Amino acid sequence: MLVVLRIATATKGYEKKRSKLLGAYLPHPPGLEGSMAHERRPPMASSASRYHRRRSSGTRDERYRSDVHTEAVQAALAKHKERKVAVPMPSKRRSLVVQTSMDAYTPPDTSSGSEEEGGQGEGTPTSSQGSIGMEHWISRAIHQGSTTSSSSSSTQSGGSGAAGRLADVLAQTHVGKSGNAPSTSPASTSIPQPVTPTLPNHSAPPDVTTYTSEHPVQVERPQVSTVPRTTPKYGNAKLMETGDGVPVSSRVSAKIQQLVNTLKQPRRPPLREFFVDDFEELLEVQQPDPNQPRPEGSQMVAIRGEPLGVVTNWPPSLEAALQRWGTISPKAPCLTTMDTNGKPLYVLTYGKITLFNYSHTYNDQHPIRSCLKSDAFPLLSFHEQVALVFPNNDPAAFMVAFYGCLLAEVVPVPIEVPLTRKDAGSQQIGFLLGSCGVTVALTSDACHKGLPKGPTGEIPQFKGWPKLLWFVTESKHLSKPPRDWFPHIKDANNDTAYIEYKTCKDGSVLGVTVTRIALLTHCQALTQSCGYTEAEIIVNVLDFKKDVGLWHGILTSVMNMMHVISIPYSLMKVNPLSWIQKVCQYKGKVACVKSRDMHWALVAHRDQRDVNLNSLRMLVVADGSNPWSISSCDAFLNVFQSKGLRPEVICPCASSAEALTVAIRRPTDDSNQPPGRGVLSMQGLSYSVIRVDSEERLSVLTVQDVGTVMPGALMCVVKPEGVPQLCRTDEIGELCVCSIATGMSYYGLSGMTKNTFEVFPMTSSGAPISEYPFTRTGLLGFIGPGGLVFVSGKMDGLMVVSGRRHNADDIVATALAVEPMKFVYRGRIAVFSVTVLHDERIVVVAEQRPDSTEEDSFQWMSRVLQAIDSIHNVGVFCLALVPANTLPKTPLGGIHLSETKQLFLEGSLHPCNVLMCPHTCVTNLPKPRQKQPEIGPASVMVGNLVSGKRIAQASGRDLGQIEDNDQFLFLSEVLQWRAQTTPDHVLFTLLSSRGTVLSSLTCLQLHKRAEKIAAMLMERGHLQDGDHVALVYPPGIDLVAAFYGCLYAGCVPITVRPPHPQNIATTLPTVKMIVEVSRSACVMTSQVISKLLKSKEASAAVDVRSWPLVLDTDDLPKKKPPQLYKPSNPDTLAYLDFSVSTTGMLAGVKMSHTATSAFCRSIKLQCELYPSREVAICLDPYCGLGFSRGLDLSRVRTCVVVAEERPRIALTQSFSKLFKDLGLHPRAVSTSFGCRVNLAICLQGTSGPDPTTVYVDMRALRHDRVRLVERGSPHSLPLMESGKILPGVRIIIANPETKGPLGDSHLGEIWVHCTHNGSGYFTVYGDEALQSDHFNSHLSFGDTQTVWARTGYLGFLRRTELTDASGERHDALYVVGALDEAMELRGMRYHPIDIETSVIRTHKSIMECAVFPWTNLLVVVVELEGSEQEALDLVPLVTNAVLEEHYLIVGVVVVVDIGVIPINSRGEKQRMHLRDGFLADQLDPIYVAYNM
């Protein structure tokens, strides 16, 4: 219900309501009724003493102070306490808990997060496509009597007294055009309808167009220049649009833009196969909330400021003004600078500045010798850019240089002094200088001496900076102009006067060009709106190089012959009250400050007697555009009202680099005209809708007006995204200004200039509202009743999360209101958003106090998450705490936001605590896959036939004719035959690590040694044929001889890797286990190892008494065995191949004599091995393929990388690259594929096509489908062919569940049929079911007779265009991964190697990574190479990467030391061992983060 009335000071009424409102949350003593709660409160003390009481609790950032907001936060947390959530606290290694030492405590400089002196606001969000939902309307409370209202209003920004609390009584006023008589319209009162409890009750919107002008908008332009400001480059600057009506943001023709948009669209998948549901993994699209508030007001009308009155004696240009004052009153003081003790250091008079400027101008226009003794100093041409590099404590030198440049008609570009080569943001400044073509830098003598110097004393080139010639501006370095020389002073024109730098949200620095006419008009508009008069004293605390400090303290002051007292930042650090003292001392009329200066003055204020602010008629609050500045204004007024400060003196202003001063509150003498206030619903604001909040709700934002539009300017509010369409009256949008007094362009960036400085706002019908272009201010807000401008945030601070808009400053305020408030060091909090999985996610980074404990940190973080969730209804993606004083700073001590974000994204922030909540924030994950009922194998086969697809099967070539030595069925016979036919042929050579030959073995030598070993086994071991013998040898000739010795004796050899002497405790039990499981009757080994097996260390790990007979083969008997064993049946056991699988399963595969011979024949044929051929084996000779087989690599024909997994492409490529210079041909490097059931399935031979690589869509792979894509397409995964199928091997791809055959290029299990398949598992218990399934499987449809072995690996066959040796088309086999290793998460199949590859890429310090599932959570273990301080950097990076690339939320991130992830002898990760170690808490992690 809308009521229009004046509110009397209703402190009592408010107290009553407040206690009623908060009664539920206040602690009640046992005997007290709830209704009595407010009576227990002590009577309100005077505001000043109340302020003191609160301030003693620690240096709390008053700029974000709001009691109402604090109460809201406490209330929200109280609710949460009732339903406590148990979040596991991250665990940290002791060494990491020790806090990094921090710099000595620094006073106000490090003040606060949102301070954006150096160029960065608080937030970092990007524009978004979210639906712009809307709400209701606002107005302003009219108060009676300024003194009563202000004294009763307390220090909160919420304005809990009558002055602020609009929510108490929904008092709203429409000020008509006259601006005084409040009028109520019956239409604006409506009876609230009953609504669902979830929705706040809103009344009908009032008509708020009454105060706006009806006639069409035309801009009054001052007489100085009648040309409309359009740049010739764009003709009449029509809106260039893309297909969907969005302005183009760069120099791109609409056609190209359209093409780019088309290319962005995903390619349509081919027609669906009729029997496969081709489900595309789609991210959930956030559906707009049907109950979201929407704007209901009428379309706004542009608001015009008062006409700019042209005063007859106004100078035609700023230089003319300077010349006039220098001539008329040369002794008048222009600028007084202070030293760090607050004493006047230097007084610059108008006469001096004029004289200096003549010297400057003369020197700039004539070749001179600079202090750098450069004879070839360039003659600066007109309109060339010059950098002004002056420190913040030397405004006089800056002012002289600035005006010297204006007179000489060169363009000054003021920048910060680079202190080190790695200043935050310094590189971007360098890019700006480079793009502006700056070659000369002007600086002061003191500053020049302080710059970093190289070894020879020259100033080094800063990173990213162009080569600069440094020139010192002190008078002793300048030559005097002749007496009769005067600079030519022109009237203000459209030439560029200066370039002001502006830091964007992404950290890039742009140069805003301001023309001379804009400069003059802006000074005139400020003079008129601030009522400046000659000889007024103005105290300036702001940075004089840019923004409000430059406009008031350097430019407008000269136009009006004012005296500026400049307070350097270094003095404010030492004495935050210095500016107030100077106002008193000099009887200053005007002061220019930021809200943080008011805050620090309050903190330092101790009832000083001599403070009298009576002289102050205007206190310009430069960051009035930050809605939270209201809290500092209220608190400051509260304390200093008793010291003569009048309420109407406080004048917040809104400004931006592009539009200069946007609006400023005028200093009025009419104390009956109180400032405008609005208490807005945060929920409404998040949908860009203005709703005056109901008093039941506590999540509100109190905004104050920043005055009215500037004289001679026209302002409107447009939608922030898309076409610049006018907003409705109850809608938040971006303020746009049409005036001469704005920036002209971004230097050298015509596309961005067009989007910002040449905007033509349109009505809903599409008609432009003016023929003149508007400038976007980058400020979000609305125009309230009476033409008052309200700012609710900045475009740079906007974060659009799931279609709702949040302002970074508001989130900072909520975080600062969480108890204990003093937890955050000096209020330094940075809030920004990062884009993860197609939506913005909020990141909060805070500096914690040096004395905080782990417990404090975790408590505070948990509460901040709850508070932000309750108040803003948005989740925080990541909350990071860093040690005090470690965030990058802007030149004036605020937090450099884009640099902080950059450090966060690249993993260099080094937080000491991190809490991530991806589960609550990420709501757009694809729906979990529902398992469809399996299509029967027959239907699949028929479907393949109908669609013309071949069944996926392939085979190697036939084994062909048996050669003379191939008539032998047994390896032992082959050796005997070789010993007779080629006794001296060297079979094996053992090389040392340096490449020298240690020993070699000919055919005859091997035969003789094997005979002796066989004799020893029979004599000493008393072994029968068929007994099992464990061979525990290091790789080498002894192992080979022992193996053949066993075959000669009829025993079954089992090769076992010997225990590692340095690591007996973990390696010996495996040896013992294999010996026991294989039922070995005897262990054969060397003397050294036999001693090790029975040593004292061994007895600690295993029971050494239970070893079977141990024989050492170092001294063999001289005699031969009576006869050599010949097996009766070729299908009997030849040897056992034991190994531990990656999933930790120990299994022995039985290899028959037939299989062993066929295996050797197949490899011989594939690799074309002859007696003269040399094979270098660098493999473990214990299991798999490795068991059965000066530097110039140009002779290497085949280098086989043995893989029992998917080939690692990056590894083979880097290997080829590394040895390329040694003559290794890349074609020679390939991979093989073998597994437990068949040791060699594929092996790249000498003939046949090169292995091919295909790219498959990783998302389709998760659904067990293969979709081939182009290289470089998103989500593409390269798969390399696993060598060529060996002779005698047949392969088919079958569905692992239905056992039906699959079509070409379909993913399924690889089944193999060949003579060298293993014949089964050897286990103690002989699990027959397991064995028959793996080694003897039959297809359920089609060829059901053939016996296949199941490899347990997923892969696919693809017929290529290449031809193989036999002239047939080549079938390539691609291995995707093991079924055992694959993880089922969200109904999809993930292969660990894919996730691990993504994780390893995220940070240079991640050496290795392994992932495994744990109760539906994904656990990621990373090995950190680097300092432990980097451990916490990895947590957000790992989480982001896995979300982006795999649509999975990481549940736990474990950071461990190098070497913790167990890897078996074949280089494969033992993920299940790792999982057991994690669950048993044996990893000794550096850090464990639970993302819950």
Side-chain angles (χ1 to χ4, degrees):
M1 195 163 152
L2 278 170
V3 196
V4 181
L5 47 91
R6 286 188 176 167
I7 317 176
T9 48
T11 318
K12 240 160 85 184
Y14 171 68
E15 282 303 316
K16 211 162 163 184
K17 274 189 179 130
R18 181 161 167 267
S19 53
K20 191 170 154 191
L21 194 61
L22 298 176
Y25 307 113
L26 291 172
H28 294 238
L32 218 66
E33 302 294 332
S35 61
M36 300 285 291
H38 69 280
E39 290 171 23
R40 287 183 296 108
R41 299 171 63 85
M44 303 271 282
S46 80
S47 49
S49 63
R50 202 166 1 138
Y51 183 80
H52 274 301
R53 213 173 32 248
R54 204 187 51 247
R55 202 185 59 240
S56 59
S57 66
T59 54
R60 163 73 202 289
D61 196 340
E62 278 310 317
R63 292 168 333 109
Y64 288 94
R65 170 82 191 173
S66 151
D67 282 0
V68 166
H69 194 63
T70 305
E71 283 162 7
V73 169
Q74 300 314 322
L77 291 174
K79 269 188 205 161
H80 269 278
K81 258 187 195 139
E82 292 158 24
R83 46 184 181 89
K84 230 176 178 155
V85 189
V87 183
M89 196 168 153
S91 67
K92 204 182 269 191
R93 191 179 278 174
R94 178 65 54 82
S95 55
L96 210 69
V97 178
V98 180
Q99 188 60 250
T100 36
S101 68
M102 63 158 273
D103 314 350
Y105 170 86
T106 49
D109 64 11
T110 35
S111 70
S112 97
S114 75
E115 190 45 62
E116 17 81 79
E117 299 278 11
Q120 202 33 28
E122 191 61 298
T124 338
T126 58
S127 69
S128 137
Q129 17 352 350
S131 59
I132 308 171
M134 312 303 160
E135 250 190 81
H136 203 65
W137 184 231
I138 167 148
S139 184
R140 131 187 191 240
I142 305 273
H143 311 293
Q144 288 178 338
S146 71
T147 45
T148 48
S149 71
S150 47
S151 59
S152 66
S153 85
S154 64
T155 55
Q156 308 103 4
S157 72
S160 41
R165 188 62 183 167
L166 225 162
D168 277 348
V169 193
L170 271 169
Q172 300 172 319
T173 315
H174 299 307
V175 183
K177 261 175 277 190
S178 57
N180 44 21
S183 62
T184 335
S185 71
S188 65
T189 323
S190 75
I191 291 111
Q193 298 299 315
V195 283
T196 48
T198 50
L199 260 176
N201 195 351
H202 297 307
S203 44
D207 178 20
V208 282
T209 50
T210 46
Y211 59 86
T212 54
S213 55
E214 280 89 15
H215 45 77
V217 168
Q218 289 173 327
V219 188
E220 289 174 23
R221 303 229 148 212
Q223 299 309 302
V224 204
S225 154
T226 50
V227 192
R229 191 193 63 178
T230 47
T231 41
K233 213 173 292 179
Y234 291 99
N236 203 11
K238 274 195 183 145
L239 250 186
M240 185 164 70
E241 293 182 356
T242 57
D244 49 357
V246 180
V248 181
S249 61
S250 57
R251 289 170 286 185
V252 179
S253 79
K255 282 272 180 290
I256 295 177
Q257 189 67 33
Q258 215 164 353
L259 177 66
V260 169
N261 288 349
T262 316
L263 289 175
K264 276 185 198 156
Q265 291 163 358
R267 271 207 332 233
R268 283 191 189 155
L271 279 173
R272 299 178 171 202
E273 297 124 299
F274 75 94
F275 60 91
V276 175
D277 135 18
D278 192 14
F279 168 75
E280 202 13 291
E281 223 177 316
L282 289 172
L283 292 175
E284 287 279 295
V285 178
Q286 198 74 29
Q287 295 305 317
D289 177 4
N291 299 326
Q292 74 181 41
R294 298 178 190 283
E296 299 155 357
S298 54
Q299 186 171 295
M300 75 157 301
V301 180
I303 302 288
R304 182 191 311 287
E306 72 262 32
L308 182 60
V310 179
V311 181
T312 45
N313 67 342
W314 268 356
S317 69
L318 214 51
E319 306 92 286
L322 186 67
Q323 191 184 28
R324 178 200 291 178
W325 304 131
T327 316
I328 297 175
S329 40
K331 295 255 169 62
C334 170
L335 178 76
T336 302
T337 65
M338 298 290 161
D339 63 11
T340 45
N341 301 318
K343 300 272 187 297
L345 187 66
Y346 187 81
V347 179
L348 189 65
T349 61
Y350 279 93
K352 272 188 203 164
I353 191 172
T354 310
L355 192 65
F356 280 145
N357 278 317
Y358 286 177
S359 304
H360 253 284
T361 312
Y362 180 73
N363 283 292
D364 282 350
Q365 291 179 355
H366 298 77
I368 55 173
R369 284 172 187 275
S370 78
C371 66
L372 305 176
K373 304 287 179 282
S374 154
D375 295 322
F377 189 84
L379 178 62
L380 280 171
S381 58
F382 287 135
H383 313 308
E384 202 173 310
Q385 284 76 17
V386 180
L388 300 192
V389 187
F390 290 91
N392 284 317
N393 57 5
D394 197 355
F398 172 80
M399 194 169 188
V400 169
F402 189 89
Y403 279 101
C405 291
L406 287 184
L407 283 165
E409 291 184 60
V410 293
V411 179
V413 185
I415 57 167
E416 304 304 335
V417 178
L419 300 173
T420 65
R421 294 198 63 184
K422 289 185 184 165
D423 274 3
S426 156
Q427 188 171 352
Q428 297 294 338
I429 296 267
F431 290 150
L432 171 71
L433 297 180
S435 64
C436 291
V438 172
T439 53
V440 176
L442 303 185
T443 185
S444 66
D445 206 1
C447 182
H448 186 263
K449 284 176 181 150
L451 288 170
K453 303 282 195 298
T456 53
E458 86 292 349
I459 294 168
Q461 197 170 338
F462 296 101
K463 193 176 175 191
W465 283 43
K467 194 152 179 52
L468 293 180
L469 197 57
W470 292 86
F471 175 59
V472 174
T473 58
E474 254 73 354
S475 52
K476 61 182 175 191
H477 299 293
L478 303 175
S479 42
K480 257 191 161 173
R483 274 180 174 276
D484 56 348
W485 184 86
F486 286 100
H488 172 59
I489 293 177
K490 293 185 188 170
D491 287 359
N493 53 18
N494 276 319
D495 294 342
T496 302
Y498 69 97
I499 294 176
E500 180 168 318
Y501 82 85
K502 172 218 169 157
T503 308
C504 299
K505 187 162 132 182
D506 59 359
S508 56
V509 173
L510 308 176
V512 177
T513 61
V514 179
T515 60
R516 289 169 174 260
I517 188 70
L519 174 68
L520 182 69
T521 311
H522 187 218
C523 290
Q524 292 169 348
L526 283 177
T527 302
Q528 181 173 323
S529 46
C530 300
Y532 285 144
T533 53
E534 285 177 27
E536 269 195 317
I537 289 177
I538 175 167
V539 175
N540 181 28
V541 188
L542 307 172
D543 183 1
F544 51 78
K545 294 191 288 295
K546 59 195 292 250
D547 214 65
V548 183
L550 173 70
W551 307 330
H552 289 261
I554 301 287
L555 306 176
T556 313
S557 59
V558 165
M559 184 172 150
N560 294 293
M561 203 187 84
M562 294 162 75
H563 179 193
V564 179
I565 313 291
S566 190
I567 311 285
Y569 179 56
S570 47
L571 172 56
M572 284 294 290
K573 279 165 78 171
V574 181
N575 176 10
L577 273 176
S578 51
W579 69 272
I580 292 181
Q581 291 162 354
K582 294 295 165 251
V583 168
C584 304
Q585 183 184 338
Y586 288 92
K587 299 277 182 284
K589 295 274 189 193
V590 181
C592 295
V593 298
K594 282 208 167 179
S595 49
R596 68 151 188 202
D597 303 318
M598 297 158 80
H599 163 60
W600 287 113
L602 283 173
V603 172
H605 171 65
R606 291 274 179 280
D607 282 329
Q608 260 126 340
R609 298 261 162 76
D610 50 352
V611 172
N612 183 0
L613 298 179
N614 207 9
S615 64
L616 210 55
R617 66 173 186 84
M618 187 175 191
L619 179 60
V620 179
V621 183
D623 55 352
S625 54
N626 180 341
W628 293 91
S629 60
I630 186 173
S631 38
S632 297
C633 297
D634 283 356
F636 190 79
L637 177 65
N638 229 24
V639 171
F640 287 100
Q641 195 162 5
S642 56
K643 313 275 184 191
L645 181 70
R646 299 185 300 284
E648 64 274 11
V649 164
I650 296 179
C651 298
C653 78
S655 63
S656 77
E658 293 84 355
L660 311 184
T661 306
V662 176
I664 188 165
R665 200 187 284 172
R666 316 295 196 262
T668 56
D669 294 329
D670 176 15
S671 54
N672 295 326
Q673 182 71 20
R677 295 234 157 154
V679 181
L680 307 185
S681 146
M682 289 233 190
Q683 165 79 355
L685 286 175
S686 73
Y687 291 107
S688 297
V689 176
I690 301 160
R691 290 291 178 268
V692 173
D693 205 358
S694 56
E695 45 191 302
E696 282 76 45
R697 293 277 305 287
L698 282 167
S699 54
V700 294
L701 176 70
T702 307
V703 288
Q704 64 179 345
D705 72 286
V706 286
T708 50
V709 185
M710 295 297 287
L714 187 64
M715 184 189 283
C716 66
V717 184
V718 301
K719 302 201 184 247
E721 283 96 32
V723 176
Q725 192 183 333
L726 286 180
C727 288
R728 293 173 179 242
T729 45
D730 60 342
E731 191 175 357
I732 299 271
E734 185 175 6
L735 305 179
C736 289
V737 174
C738 177
S739 160
I740 293 178
T742 62
M744 186 69 192
S745 68
Y746 291 129
Y747 188 91
L749 300 168
S750 49
M752 288 178 76
T753 296
K754 193 172 181 59
N755 256 359
T756 304
F757 296 91
E758 294 165 35
V759 176
F760 289 87
M762 299 178 183
T763 59
S764 49
S765 60
I769 64 166
S770 165
E771 57 182 305
Y772 296 107
F774 280 67
T775 298
R776 289 181 182 271
T777 63
L779 301 175
L780 292 167
F782 58 95
I783 300 172
L788 290 181
V789 179
F790 289 85
V791 178
S792 63
K794 290 192 181 70
M795 284 294 287
D796 274 358
L798 193 67
M799 300 180 290
V800 184
V801 182
S802 306
R804 289 178 56 223
R805 294 147 193 270
H806 302 276
N807 210 298
D809 280 333
D810 302 345
I811 304 240
V812 169
T814 301
L816 282 172
V818 171
E819 296 281 359
M821 293 166 186
K822 57 180 182 295
F823 175 82
V824 180
Y825 177 68
R826 307 192 66 68
R828 287 172 63 80
I829 295 184
V831 172
F832 51 86
S833 66
V834 293
T835 304
V836 180
L837 207 61
H838 312 294
D839 198 1
E840 289 186 41
R841 316 286 176 194
I842 295 176
V843 178
V844 179
V845 183
E847 288 189 3
Q848 65 175 33
R849 290 176 71 88
D851 48 0
S852 313
T853 65
E854 288 294 298
E855 192 65 36
D856 291 346
S857 310
F858 189 68
Q859 276 291 313
W860 185 82
M861 290 162 95
S862 312
R863 298 175 80 165
V864 167
L865 295 176
Q866 292 166 6
I868 292 174
D869 181 48
S870 299
I871 303 264
H872 302 275
N873 208 1
V874 66
V876 174
F877 180 66
C878 176
L879 180 49
L881 295 178
V882 296
N885 254 341
T886 54
L887 288 179
K889 293 178 189 172
T890 61
L892 288 188
I895 293 175
H896 198 296
L897 209 88
S898 57
E899 199 83 3
T900 303
K901 178 176 176 176
Q902 192 54 42
L903 291 176
F904 174 80
L905 288 175
E906 66 192 27
S908 315
L909 193 63
H910 306 330
C912 46
N913 270 303
V914 169
L915 202 53
M916 297 206 62
C917 310
H919 291 276
T920 48
C921 295
V922 181
T923 52
N924 60 337
L925 283 174
K927 287 197 171 77
R929 175 182 169 204
Q930 303 298 319
K931 275 280 184 346
Q932 303 298 333
E934 285 289 350
I935 299 148
S939 324
V940 172
M941 198 157 181
V942 171
N944 277 321
L945 293 170
V946 170
S947 60
K949 277 206 167 158
R950 52 183 284 278
I951 292 298
Q953 56 182 341
S955 52
R957 54 184 167 158
D958 289 339
L959 278 170
Q961 290 306 109
I962 290 184
E963 295 172 32
D964 50 358
N965 65 318
D966 285 347
Q967 70 247 8
F968 301 112
L969 277 174
F970 308 113
L971 279 181
S972 53
E973 292 183 321
V974 178
L975 179 58
Q976 291 164 44
W977 175 75
R978 283 229 185 271
Q980 285 168 3
T981 52
T982 55
D984 299 325
H985 177 87
V986 178
L987 275 179
F988 295 97
T989 306
L990 184 65
L991 299 179
S992 71
S993 57
R994 296 193 175 166
T996 55
V997 176
L998 289 178
S999 57
S1000 60
L1001 206 58
T1002 62
C1003 297
L1004 187 61
Q1005 286 170 330
L1006 177 58
H1007 170 65
K1008 291 232 165 115
R1009 278 199 74 170
E1011 281 185 330
K1012 289 175 183 173
I1013 289 171
M1016 184 170 106
L1017 283 172
M1018 291 168 187
E1019 271 193 15
R1020 288 201 209 157
H1022 310 297
L1023 298 184
Q1024 312 297 313
D1025 45 343
D1027 279 347
H1028 296 182
V1029 178
L1031 310 181
V1032 187
Y1033 288 95
I1037 286 169
D1038 290 343
L1039 177 62
V1040 178
F1043 182 83
Y1044 281 98
C1046 288
L1047 293 187
Y1048 279 3
C1051 298
V1052 178
I1054 298 114
T1055 54
V1056 185
R1057 168 194 294 277
H1060 198 290
Q1062 265 79 53
N1063 195 1
I1064 284 189
T1066 51
T1067 54
L1068 191 61
T1070 312
V1071 175
K1072 186 83 164 62
M1073 197 172 170
I1074 294 176
V1075 169
E1076 283 171 2
V1077 171
S1078 63
R1079 302 198 204 133
S1080 297
C1082 162
V1083 175
M1084 265 209 295
T1085 182
S1086 66
Q1087 200 167 8
V1088 177
I1089 293 172
S1090 74
K1091 283 180 182 165
L1092 187 64
L1093 294 181
K1094 295 178 177 174
S1095 66
K1096 198 161 146 195
E1097 291 82 6
S1099 59
V1102 298
D1103 178 11
V1104 292
R1105 290 168 302 180
S1106 61
W1107 287 113
L1109 173 68
V1110 178
L1111 299 175
D1112 80 69
T1113 54
D1114 285 6
D1115 48 342
L1116 292 172
K1118 297 287 182 281
K1119 57 165 90 162
K1120 294 200 304 192
Q1123 66 172 52
L1124 297 182
Y1125 171 81
K1126 181 176 180 182
S1128 51
N1129 178 359
D1131 290 332
T1132 55
L1133 206 52
Y1135 71 96
L1136 283 174
D1137 187 331
F1138 262 91
S1139 72
V1140 180
S1141 74
T1142 50
T1143 51
M1145 192 176 90
L1146 174 70
V1149 173
K1150 298 190 277 196
M1151 289 294 286
S1152 67
H1153 287 284
T1154 320
T1156 311
S1157 313
F1159 175 66
C1160 296
R1161 264 208 305 283
S1162 181
I1163 285 180
K1164 174 185 172 182
L1165 196 62
Q1166 181 84 325
C1167 298
E1168 298 176 20
L1169 300 175
Y1170 312 114
S1172 60
R1173 183 66 54 79
E1174 291 182 359
V1175 180
I1177 295 180
C1178 180
L1179 283 174
D1180 258 356
Y1182 301 108
C1183 56
L1185 191 62
F1187 169 68
S1188 49
R1189 36 197 255 143
L1191 193 54
D1192 172 21
L1193 296 181
S1194 56
R1195 285 172 49 219
V1196 175
R1197 288 179 52 182
T1198 314
C1199 170
V1200 179
V1201 183
V1202 175
E1204 276 202 20
E1205 57 181 355
R1206 178 196 307 173
R1208 286 187 250 176
I1209 297 184
L1211 183 67
T1212 52
Q1213 284 173 346
S1214 46
F1215 183 83
S1216 311
K1217 203 167 163 187
L1218 184 65
F1219 291 105
K1220 186 181 72 178
D1221 296 344
L1222 297 175
L1224 179 66
H1225 196 281
R1227 185 182 184 283
V1229 180
S1230 62
T1231 68
S1232 73
F1233 170 59
C1235 64
R1236 306 305 302 125
V1237 296
N1238 187 316
L1239 306 175
I1241 296 170
C1242 301
L1243 181 63
Q1244 188 65 24
T1246 46
S1247 61
D1250 288 356
T1252 53
T1253 298
V1254 294
Y1255 291 84
V1256 298
D1257 186 335
M1258 217 165 6
R1259 291 167 304 183
L1261 214 54
R1262 291 172 209 151
H1263 294 271
D1264 289 341
R1265 286 203 313 281
V1266 176
R1267 174 181 292 153
L1268 298 180
V1269 291
E1270 295 301 312
R1271 176 181 181 176
S1273 60
H1275 297 277
S1276 63
L1277 172 74
L1279 289 179
M1280 183 172 162
E1281 183 187 341
S1282 293
K1284 199 171 161 226
I1285 299 168
L1286 282 167
V1289 176
R1290 268 180 71 199
I1291 282 176
I1292 194 161
I1293 305 294
N1295 182 319
E1297 273 88 37
T1298 64
K1299 301 190 181 180
L1302 293 173
D1304 190 82
S1305 293
H1306 277 220
L1307 188 71
E1309 188 181 5
I1310 302 165
W1311 287 17
V1312 58
H1313 166 81
C1314 96
T1315 43
H1316 64 255
N1317 276 359
S1319 44
Y1321 284 124
F1322 177 87
T1323 53
V1324 184
Y1325 313 107
D1327 188 342
E1328 293 305 318
L1330 185 73
Q1331 173 188 337
S1332 63
D1333 191 24
H1334 279 202
F1335 291 88
N1336 306 310
S1337 278
H1338 294 269
L1339 288 173
S1340 59
F1341 191 79
D1343 170 12
T1344 55
Q1345 300 308 308
T1346 312
V1347 176
W1348 299 89
R1350 300 179 62 168
T1351 62
Y1353 280 82
L1354 288 174
F1356 60 96
L1357 275 167
R1358 181 169 168 267
R1359 179 150 280 185
T1360 64
E1361 298 303 317
L1362 307 165
T1363 49
D1364 56 23
S1366 58
E1368 298 288 315
R1369 276 177 69 191
H1370 171 62
D1371 289 310
L1373 174 68
Y1374 298 93
V1375 180
V1376 172
L1379 272 164
D1380 286 351
E1381 287 278 352
M1383 304 180 291
E1384 279 264 327
L1385 293 163
R1386 297 176 60 79
M1388 290 170 278
R1389 198 193 303 271
Y1390 287 90
H1391 296 279
I1393 185 169
D1394 297 329
I1395 299 176
E1396 287 158 5
T1397 307
S1398 302
V1399 169
I1400 287 172
R1401 279 202 305 259
T1402 58
H1403 196 277
K1404 61 181 187 301
S1405 296
I1406 298 179
M1407 281 300 102
E1408 190 52 275
C1409 164
V1411 303
F1412 54 83
W1414 170 52
T1415 61
N1416 289 337
L1417 286 176
L1418 178 67
V1419 180
V1420 177
V1421 181
V1422 292
E1423 289 184 356
L1424 169 73
E1425 182 192 49
S1427 78
E1428 290 183 354
Q1429 301 308 320
E1430 288 179 19
L1432 281 84
D1433 284 317
L1434 308 181
V1435 178
L1437 295 184
V1438 167
T1439 310
N1440 292 4
V1442 177
L1443 255 173
E1444 281 280 354
E1445 295 180 32
H1446 303 281
Y1447 302 162
L1448 279 180
I1449 292 177
V1450 177
V1452 186
V1453 181
V1454 186
V1455 185
V1456 295
D1457 297 307
I1458 288 185
V1460 168
I1461 295 173
I1463 290 180
N1464 69 9
S1465 55
R1466 298 184 300 282
E1468 296 158 342
K1469 293 171 196 161
Q1470 306 275 281
R1471 298 183 181 93
M1472 290 308 110
H1473 279 330
L1474 181 67
R1475 178 185 159 154
D1476 297 341
F1478 168 71
L1479 296 178
D1481 201 15
Q1482 294 164 347
L1483 299 184
D1484 181 29
I1486 299 170
Y1487 190 76
V1488 182
Y1490 299 94
N1491 291 348
M1492 295 199 176

